[in-house]
Amino acid sequence: MDGTEQVIVDFRSSWQFVRGLTRDFVEQTPQDRYAFSPHARFGSMDRQFRHVLQVTDLYTDTLRSRVLSMPTKFARYGGSLDRDDLLAGLERADAELSAVVDELGAEAVAANYQFGDTAMGIGELFDVFIEHEANHHGLWSAYAAVGGWSTPESWRDAWDL
């Protein structure tokens, strides 16, 4: 396996892990807690879920254009804050991201990606994708603790959260 393939394999493995945890949380958060927020500064659970879906679209567009452009975050998800719509949206966004990752060649892996004022290599960009998702996991575990519901078993097994 060459370096290009390894970067992609490593990202896919990490993304599958963190996105699996995300899906578990979306699926297992009680419906009556979807509108819950622990503080006015933080979006409700359903808005948090929509945010990670929209950011996945942003990642896809960033890989295509090599420039992070915040307006694209809002361009493709037109669904509601309903669990089924959010899960369908995550499935669609993940399929699109996977297709773009499939198309990455050596040139794309060697390229720089503009993330605000920072130029990043593909490995760094993939790390940001994973880190962003994991940051939300930390928030969500706090939401669940304050809001009075349990995190999914996968979260307790992986992180003891």
Side-chain angles (χ1 to χ4, degrees):
M1 182 177 309
D2 69 17
T4 299
E5 292 170 336
Q6 191 62 56
V7 167
I8 292 168
V9 166
D10 290 348
F11 169 70
R12 284 189 183 284
S13 177
S14 294
W15 186 251
Q16 180 180 4
F17 173 72
V18 297
R19 186 43 67 96
L21 293 172
T22 296
R23 288 189 68 82
D24 288 349
F25 204 94
V26 173
E27 290 169 352
Q28 294 177 35
T29 294
Q31 190 65 50
D32 67 344
R33 304 316 285 158
Y34 262 52
F36 174 77
S37 173
H39 191 276
R41 284 187 52 220
F42 298 96
S44 59
M45 284 307 316
D46 50 9
R47 290 179 186 279
Q48 288 278 321
F49 299 153
R50 180 180 61 192
H51 168 75
V52 296
L53 187 168
Q54 290 173 324
V55 168
T56 305
D57 288 335
L58 177 63
Y59 298 157
T60 298
D61 292 338
T62 301
L63 290 172
R64 285 182 178 136
S65 69
R66 299 187 184 163
V67 176
L68 181 128
S69 174
M70 279 301 181
T72 65
K73 173 181 153 187
F74 306 105
R76 282 187 276 169
Y77 182 70
S80 73
L81 296 174
D82 175 76
R83 180 191 327 260
D84 291 338
D85 285 347
L86 291 165
L87 288 168
L90 282 170
E91 186 172 331
R92 187 242 348 123
D94 281 344
E96 288 181 20
L97 178 62
S98 183
V100 168
V101 170
D102 284 345
E103 296 168 5
L104 294 175
E107 178 190 341
V109 171
N112 279 323
Y113 294 80
Q114 200 62 37
F115 194 95
D117 292 336
T118 303
M120 296 182 176
I122 192 88
E124 293 170 293
L125 189 65
F126 283 161
D127 288 348
V128 168
F129 295 0
I130 301 300
E131 181 180 343
H132 179 264
E133 196 93 356
N135 283 337
H136 279 282
H137 292 174
L139 282 173
W140 300 349
S141 67
Y143 275 53
V146 171
W149 74 93
S150 296
T151 57
E153 185 176 339
S154 61
W155 286 46
R156 295 188 304 274
D157 289 346
W159 298 116
D160 198 24
L161 292 174

